[in-house]
Amino acid sequence: MEFNLFMDDIVGAARKEITDAGYEEVTTPEEVDEALSQKGTSLVMVNSTCGCAGGVARPAAASAIHYDKRPEHLLTVFAGQDRDATERAREYFEGYPPSSPSFGLLKDGKVVEMIPRDEIEGHSPVEVVNKLQQLFDQHCQEV
């Protein structure tokens, strides 16, 4: 199989997994700005094709939102694929270095917390779910 076709399959499956979980994919800088200009809390999952994204971050992203408190807006950008959108999202993560996969929790377009790759890689999905839900408890309203 040609490498590009193989990667298209992997990227497509990774995109589908997170959007099927309820996250809105933003693929351009303009879409990022529009999505993050919304009032309220937003969780941005920076998606990736690496093993810790597929084995930990995406499953955690899907599970964490089934909780009493959660962000009002669920968004995702894809590092290495939608580069301009990812770069724009990272501009909102002021004070945090680029990291993928990662999660950024924002309130009214301002970052309040990040879960970077080093808090995902080598951890179980349940550990990451717990971290996310702790952030939801601190910053989000009941649904």
Side-chain angles (χ1 to χ4, degrees), residues 3-112:
F3 179 75
N4 288 335
L5 289 175
F6 174 73
M7 285 307 297
D8 287 346
D9 285 347
I10 289 177
V11 169
R15 287 183 191 275
K16 184 176 180 348
E17 183 177 356
I18 196 68
T19 57
D20 283 355
Y23 288 72
E24 175 189 351
E25 189 171 46
V26 287
T27 60
T28 67
E30 296 78 18
E31 289 176 350
V32 170
D33 288 339
E34 183 178 331
L36 292 179
S37 69
Q38 300 176 92
K39 293 289 183 196
T41 52
S42 300
L43 181 65
V44 180
M45 191 264 183
V46 180
N47 203 353
S48 162
T49 58
C50 69
C52 62
V56 180
R58 287 193 300 274
S63 295
I65 59 174
H66 300 285
Y67 193 62
D68 292 342
K69 292 183 178 182
R70 70 175 212 180
E72 296 161 85
H73 313 287
L74 303 172
L75 308 166
T76 183
V77 294
F78 208 121
Q81 302 300 312
D82 302 318
R83 293 172 194 244
D84 294 339
T86 303
E87 185 178 316
R88 180 62 56 87
R90 287 177 171 156
E91 290 174 14
Y92 287 86
F93 306 154
E94 190 174 327
Y96 295 93
S99 179
S100 61
S102 63
F103 295 93
L105 183 65
L106 296 90
K107 184 166 187 173
D108 299 333
K110 303 287 184 201
V111 68
V112 292

